[in-house]
Amino acid sequence: MGTVLYIKANARRDASRTFEISDRFVTVYQKNHPQDEIITLDLYQERIDFLKEEDLYLHRLSPEEGRNHPVLKYTYQFLDADKYVFAEPLWNLGVPAILKAYFDYICISGITFKYTETGPVGLCQGKKAVNITTRGGEYSEGSLALLEMGDRYIKTILGFLGVTDYTTIAANNLDVIGIDIDAIVNEAIREAEELARSF
Ligand SMILES: Cc1cc2nc3c(=O)[nH]c(=O)nc-3n(C[C@H](O)[C@H](O)[C@H](O)COP(=O)(O)O)c2cc1C
């Protein structure tokens, strides 16, 4: 039995195209992996906040203290999971700020990574992640691809933590007028369903 952490980062909940795709991924995953536990973490519901000054010393807490701490409980929850499903739209070329704040919660030295004589080493190795994202324009290819810092950030920071098995499912052009948006979303749902079976 494994644990899947489903991390949702979007202020828009009911009409979210991102969540339409990611919820489908999770539904198909659960059907194909009935023994696994899926923990859904809606970052807005959790009220993830910016780190405060006192939060900069959290790495000094023992695991016993940390597991009940309002910030570190997320770090240990991340460490304990086997797989991650991220779902977020592209906002201003990056991830929604609440998702960055969540990464500030979970990137804690001594828990999810450590410093060594040869540099930092991720402590979340052997796990895998999928990032499901949507964008108003086209960022998977073409002139805007280099400006995309959302998916690229998640992939990079997860690699820092040791999670290198990483897949992206992206639906582009969802705000382009006149385009067949349903067709793009449906194609992303098809991709999500296919990956969910073998993830
Ligand atoms: C605050 C905000 C910032 C956005 N910034 C970008 C952007 O930089 N590039 C882009 O292509 N789309 C941008 N968009 C559009 C969203 O990425 C797009 O509409 C996405 O599909 C929304 O997903 P949702 O339906 O799940 O909310 C932005 C939307 C919002 C609300």
Side-chain angles (χ1 to χ4, degrees):
M1 180 185 138
T3 304
V4 181
L5 203 50
Y6 176 25
I7 300 149
K8 303 174 77 166
N10 193 358
R12 192 191 338 259
R13 293 204 184 96
D14 293 340
S16 164
R17 284 88 57 98
T18 316
F19 292 165
E20 191 183 339
I21 302 163
S22 60
D23 285 349
R24 192 69 202 133
F25 178 96
V26 168
T27 301
V28 173
Y29 181 90
Q30 184 76 91
K31 205 171 153 215
N32 285 269
H33 306 76
Q35 71 287 359
D36 282 7
E37 182 192 9
I38 298 176
I39 300 171
T40 301
L41 210 54
D42 181 323
L43 301 187
Y44 278 87
Q45 265 171 18
E46 299 290 328
R47 299 184 181 279
I48 299 296
D49 202 356
F50 300 124
L51 290 182
K52 309 284 183 297
E53 187 172 10
E54 63 269 22
D55 297 328
L56 304 181
Y57 306 98
L58 291 177
H59 57 279
R60 296 178 183 163
L61 295 187
S62 69
E64 293 70 35
E65 293 168 310
R67 284 188 179 274
N68 295 314
H69 186 277
V71 170
L72 284 190
K73 69 176 185 182
Y74 291 102
T75 323
Y76 284 103
Q77 180 187 54
F78 188 87
L79 182 72
D80 291 343
D82 303 297
K83 299 175 186 175
Y84 310 101
V85 181
F86 287 87
E88 83 296 329
L90 182 69
W91 274 10
N92 301 314
L93 304 181
V95 297
I98 201 163
L99 182 53
K100 171 61 170 64
Y102 174 74
F103 276 109
D104 290 340
Y105 276 30
I106 63 168
C107 295
I108 305 284
S109 71
I111 302 177
T112 47
F113 74 96
K114 65 177 178 183
Y115 291 109
T116 71
E117 285 168 357
T118 51
V121 174
L123 297 175
C124 301
Q125 288 166 24
K127 304 168 191 278
K128 61 158 78 168
V130 58
N131 181 35
I132 296 168
T133 189
T134 66
R135 303 153 180 163
E138 172 63 66
Y139 290 79
S140 287
E141 54 191 32
S143 58
L144 293 182
L146 272 179
L147 303 184
E148 200 286 329
M149 290 172 278
D151 180 58
R152 207 141 40 103
Y153 168 69
I154 298 174
K155 183 176 182 177
T156 306
I157 194 84
L158 287 180
F160 176 80
L161 297 178
V163 185
T164 51
D165 187 336
Y166 182 89
T167 308
T168 303
I169 294 176
N172 289 284
N173 289 323
L174 295 193
D175 294 338
V176 175
I177 293 168
I179 211 157
D180 188 348
I181 292 165
D182 286 347
I184 299 170
V185 171
N186 286 336
E187 172 55 22
I189 288 175
R190 194 201 56 72
E191 250 184 85
E193 289 176 345
E194 190 180 323
L195 181 65
R197 290 188 199 102
S198 60
F199 187 69

